[in-house]
Amino acid sequence: MLLDSAKFDQFYDRVRSETAGIVVDLSTKKGRDEVRSLAAKVTRSKTMIDKAGLALTRQWREQTNQVNAARKEIEERLSTLAEEVRRPLTEWENTEKERVESCRAIIDEMKQAAVVTIEDTAASVRARGMKVWGQEIGDQFGDMAGEAQSAKESAVETLKAALARLTREEEERAELEKLRAEAAEREAREQAAREEREAKERAEAEARQAEERRVAEQKAEEERASRIAREAEERARREAEVAAQAERDRIQREHDEALAAERRRAEQAEREAQAERDRIAKEEADRKAEAERIAQEQAAREADRAHRGKIMAAAKEAIMEAGSVDEATAKNIVLAIVGGSVPNVTLRF
């Protein structure tokens, strides 16, 4: 039956036919025992088949473990034998790979040596050319000997041309530097001559300017002495006028100060009276503002309390409808949420 579903179908139909159509009186103990006995018979059949299946599965598992162990041992021994048989070929392949890589590195190095950059000089190109020229293309190159020889000849020709060009350019630069040095030396001599001439001209100009300054200073000194005398006379006259005006100003100032002192006393009295009136008015305004603030805060607290009560009542009704709980339990749940006793649950007001 475990391996052929048709046989199980036959067994199932037989058991079903044996239990079908039986009429018992469940109101009697005998009837109930008969139904209980039939159900136990079906259960025993199930248990018997299940135990047989477990035994068969255990046997297959043991056979599978034996096959896997044998496979592992066979695989390891044959793999080891295959490696032993192939070892000479593997060693030859590794040696051949190293030879090819070495030859390829030499060919790539000769090709790279033929690349001339802007930083190269005749000396660096000559050194690379000598190295490439000295590279021997021996038997180790095998079928790569043609490519290696071609790379060597191409690199040598390229480096010879570059050497000739760089040598010519360096000679031209040397000649240009020589001409520039001669021009700089000539310019220096001419500059020295100009500076000597200009120094002489500056000395002569400075001498003329010194004489002109001396004459001007002497004239200015004479004018200054005359101006000082006139200024002293004018200053004496102004000082007399200033003294007379100062006396007149003192008398007027004393009069003005007496009047100002009287005005200040009157203004001070008015300011003090106004300050007292302002203080009384401010105290009254502060009292009214404080009373209004207290009234507004009380109104806000009452509005918030009413709003929160409305929200909590709505939440309580929703919990009662959703959870089929009584009003007291729903109210306690809402209070627990508001109090933060229910993790990860909040009530938005």
mmCIF file of all heavy atoms in Angstrom, residues 1 20 54-55 71 123 138 143 151 157 167 174 176 181 238 258 287 306 310 316 334 347:
data_model
loop_
_atom_site.group_PDB
_atom_site.id
_atom_site.type_symbol
_atom_site.label_atom_id
_atom_site.label_comp_id
_atom_site.label_asym_id
_atom_site.label_seq_id
_atom_site.Cartn_x
_atom_site.Cartn_y
_atom_site.Cartn_z
ATOM 1 N N MET A 1 0.823 -1.224 0.000
ATOM 2 C CA MET A 1 0.000 0.000 0.000
ATOM 3 C C MET A 1 0.855 1.272 0.000
ATOM 4 O O MET A 1 0.458 2.289 -0.561
ATOM 5 C CB MET A 1 -0.918 -0.006 1.233
ATOM 6 C CG MET A 1 -2.082 -1.003 1.124
ATOM 7 S SD MET A 1 -3.241 -0.860 2.487
ATOM 8 C CE MET A 1 -2.240 -1.478 3.837
ATOM 9 N N ALA A 20 -19.250 1.685 7.178
ATOM 10 C CA ALA A 20 -20.352 2.481 6.637
ATOM 11 C C ALA A 20 -21.685 1.779 6.899
ATOM 12 O O ALA A 20 -21.765 0.543 6.932
ATOM 13 C CB ALA A 20 -20.164 2.694 5.139
ATOM 14 N N LEU A 54 7.724 3.529 8.568
ATOM 15 C CA LEU A 54 8.920 3.954 9.291
ATOM 16 C C LEU A 54 10.031 2.917 9.178
ATOM 17 O O LEU A 54 11.206 3.243 8.992
ATOM 18 C CB LEU A 54 8.586 4.210 10.763
ATOM 19 C CG LEU A 54 7.707 5.433 11.058
ATOM 20 C CD1 LEU A 54 7.347 5.481 12.545
ATOM 21 C CD2 LEU A 54 8.427 6.708 10.646
ATOM 22 N N ALA A 55 9.665 1.642 9.303
ATOM 23 C CA ALA A 55 10.679 0.584 9.193
ATOM 24 C C ALA A 55 11.298 0.571 7.800
ATOM 25 O O ALA A 55 12.524 0.445 7.635
ATOM 26 C CB ALA A 55 10.041 -0.778 9.503
ATOM 27 N N ARG A 71 30.623 5.693 -2.110
ATOM 28 C CA ARG A 71 30.896 6.681 -3.175
ATOM 29 C C ARG A 71 32.046 7.604 -2.784
ATOM 30 O O ARG A 71 32.923 7.915 -3.593
ATOM 31 C CB ARG A 71 29.642 7.526 -3.436
ATOM 32 C CG ARG A 71 28.552 6.782 -4.209
ATOM 33 C CD ARG A 71 27.303 7.654 -4.380
ATOM 34 N NE ARG A 71 27.627 8.904 -5.026
ATOM 35 C CZ ARG A 71 27.547 10.081 -4.417
ATOM 36 N NH1 ARG A 71 27.176 10.156 -3.149
ATOM 37 N NH2 ARG A 71 27.847 11.182 -5.076
ATOM 38 N N ALA A 123 69.889 59.975 -23.204
ATOM 39 C CA ALA A 123 70.554 59.002 -22.328
ATOM 40 C C ALA A 123 69.616 57.858 -21.976
ATOM 41 O O ALA A 123 69.994 56.684 -22.022
ATOM 42 C CB ALA A 123 71.047 59.695 -21.062
ATOM 43 N N GLY A 138 66.935 33.058 -27.530
ATOM 44 C CA GLY A 138 67.459 31.695 -27.497
ATOM 45 C C GLY A 138 66.395 30.647 -27.780
ATOM 46 O O GLY A 138 65.257 30.957 -28.175
ATOM 47 N N ASP A 143 58.427 28.420 -30.507
ATOM 48 C CA ASP A 143 57.624 28.962 -31.611
ATOM 49 C C ASP A 143 57.373 30.456 -31.456
ATOM 50 O O ASP A 143 56.783 31.079 -32.351
ATOM 51 C CB ASP A 143 56.286 28.223 -31.675
ATOM 52 C CG ASP A 143 55.517 28.306 -30.364
ATOM 53 O OD1 ASP A 143 56.097 28.811 -29.383
ATOM 54 O OD2 ASP A 143 54.350 27.865 -30.314
ATOM 55 N N ALA A 151 59.899 41.783 -32.431
ATOM 56 C CA ALA A 151 59.746 42.828 -31.414
ATOM 57 C C ALA A 151 61.079 43.485 -31.108
ATOM 58 O O ALA A 151 61.170 44.709 -30.922
ATOM 59 C CB ALA A 151 59.142 42.224 -30.141
ATOM 60 N N GLU A 157 64.982 49.625 -33.951
ATOM 61 C CA GLU A 157 64.831 50.639 -34.987
ATOM 62 C C GLU A 157 64.127 51.885 -34.423
ATOM 63 O O GLU A 157 64.538 53.019 -34.689
ATOM 64 C CB GLU A 157 64.018 50.071 -36.158
ATOM 65 C CG GLU A 157 64.736 49.020 -36.964
ATOM 66 C CD GLU A 157 66.033 49.578 -37.597
ATOM 67 O OE1 GLU A 157 66.019 50.744 -38.038
ATOM 68 O OE2 GLU A 157 67.032 48.848 -37.615
ATOM 69 N N THR A 167 68.915 63.361 -29.724
ATOM 70 C CA THR A 167 70.278 63.923 -29.734
ATOM 71 C C THR A 167 70.296 65.245 -30.485
ATOM 72 O O THR A 167 70.917 66.231 -30.034
ATOM 73 C CB THR A 167 71.245 62.922 -30.384
ATOM 74 O OG1 THR A 167 71.215 61.694 -29.638
ATOM 75 C CG2 THR A 167 72.654 63.474 -30.387
ATOM 76 N N ALA A 174 70.939 72.987 -26.609
ATOM 77 C CA ALA A 174 72.200 73.472 -26.050
ATOM 78 C C ALA A 174 72.666 74.718 -26.786
ATOM 79 O O ALA A 174 73.139 75.688 -26.169
ATOM 80 C CB ALA A 174 73.260 72.371 -26.130
ATOM 81 N N LEU A 176 70.732 76.769 -28.404
ATOM 82 C CA LEU A 176 69.812 77.844 -28.062
ATOM 83 C C LEU A 176 70.141 78.411 -26.687
ATOM 84 O O LEU A 176 70.106 79.641 -26.486
ATOM 85 C CB LEU A 176 68.380 77.306 -28.090
ATOM 86 C CG LEU A 176 67.283 78.322 -27.758
ATOM 87 C CD1 LEU A 176 67.299 79.479 -28.744
ATOM 88 C CD2 LEU A 176 65.907 77.640 -27.772
ATOM 89 N N ALA A 181 72.358 82.667 -23.318
ATOM 90 C CA ALA A 181 73.323 83.109 -22.315
ATOM 91 C C ALA A 181 74.108 84.307 -22.819
ATOM 92 O O ALA A 181 74.363 85.274 -22.081
ATOM 93 C CB ALA A 181 74.258 81.955 -21.959
ATOM 94 N N ARG A 238 41.967 139.900 18.717
ATOM 95 C CA ARG A 238 40.864 138.938 18.875
ATOM 96 C C ARG A 238 40.701 138.545 20.334
ATOM 97 O O ARG A 238 39.586 138.355 20.827
ATOM 98 C CB ARG A 238 41.140 137.677 18.029
ATOM 99 C CG ARG A 238 40.922 137.910 16.539
ATOM 100 C CD ARG A 238 40.768 136.565 15.843
ATOM 101 N NE ARG A 238 41.919 135.689 16.060
ATOM 102 C CZ ARG A 238 43.006 135.686 15.295
ATOM 103 N NH1 ARG A 238 43.108 136.525 14.274
ATOM 104 N NH2 ARG A 238 44.004 134.858 15.560
ATOM 105 N N ALA A 258 19.488 130.480 35.620
ATOM 106 C CA ALA A 258 18.471 130.660 36.662
ATOM 107 C C ALA A 258 17.097 130.309 36.124
ATOM 108 O O ALA A 258 16.296 129.613 36.776
ATOM 109 C CB ALA A 258 18.507 132.103 37.180
ATOM 110 N N ARG A 287 -3.268 94.177 36.414
ATOM 111 C CA ARG A 287 -4.277 93.387 37.127
ATOM 112 C C ARG A 287 -5.311 92.827 36.158
ATOM 113 O O ARG A 287 -5.667 91.645 36.213
ATOM 114 C CB ARG A 287 -4.961 94.267 38.200
ATOM 115 C CG ARG A 287 -5.960 93.502 39.074
ATOM 116 C CD ARG A 287 -6.716 94.466 39.966
ATOM 117 N NE ARG A 287 -7.506 95.416 39.192
ATOM 118 C CZ ARG A 287 -8.663 95.086 38.590
ATOM 119 N NH1 ARG A 287 -9.155 93.872 38.675
ATOM 120 N NH2 ARG A 287 -9.336 95.993 37.898
ATOM 121 N N ALA A 306 -12.478 68.812 27.851
ATOM 122 C CA ALA A 306 -13.662 68.340 27.116
ATOM 123 C C ALA A 306 -13.246 67.585 25.857
ATOM 124 O O ALA A 306 -13.808 66.539 25.522
ATOM 125 C CB ALA A 306 -14.556 69.536 26.758
ATOM 126 N N LYS A 310 -13.868 63.699 25.028
ATOM 127 C CA LYS A 310 -14.585 63.277 23.816
ATOM 128 C C LYS A 310 -13.799 62.203 23.075
ATOM 129 O O LYS A 310 -14.358 61.179 22.661
ATOM 130 C CB LYS A 310 -14.828 64.492 22.927
ATOM 131 C CG LYS A 310 -15.587 64.152 21.652
ATOM 132 C CD LYS A 310 -15.807 65.427 20.823
ATOM 133 C CE LYS A 310 -16.569 65.094 19.536
ATOM 134 N NZ LYS A 310 -16.755 66.309 18.713
ATOM 135 N N LYS A 316 -13.216 54.513 23.788
ATOM 136 C CA LYS A 316 -13.869 53.502 24.641
ATOM 137 C C LYS A 316 -14.987 52.812 23.874
ATOM 138 O O LYS A 316 -15.111 51.576 23.894
ATOM 139 C CB LYS A 316 -14.411 54.195 25.906
ATOM 140 C CG LYS A 316 -15.076 53.213 26.868
ATOM 141 C CD LYS A 316 -15.803 53.973 27.958
ATOM 142 C CE LYS A 316 -17.029 54.699 27.382
ATOM 143 N NZ LYS A 316 -17.836 55.357 28.434
ATOM 144 N N VAL A 334 -8.555 52.300 27.830
ATOM 145 C CA VAL A 334 -8.243 53.662 27.334
ATOM 146 C C VAL A 334 -7.345 54.383 28.316
ATOM 147 O O VAL A 334 -6.359 55.037 27.941
ATOM 148 C CB VAL A 334 -9.538 54.447 27.082
ATOM 149 C CG1 VAL A 334 -9.214 55.907 26.770
ATOM 150 C CG2 VAL A 334 -10.335 53.818 25.947
ATOM 151 N N LEU A 347 -2.686 57.293 21.993
ATOM 152 C CA LEU A 347 -3.979 57.879 21.646
ATOM 153 C C LEU A 347 -3.724 59.326 21.234
ATOM 154 O O LEU A 347 -3.217 60.114 22.038
ATOM 155 C CB LEU A 347 -4.920 57.810 22.847
ATOM 156 C CG LEU A 347 -6.394 58.175 22.576
ATOM 157 C CD1 LEU A 347 -6.990 57.217 21.562
ATOM 158 C CD2 LEU A 347 -7.200 58.109 23.861
#
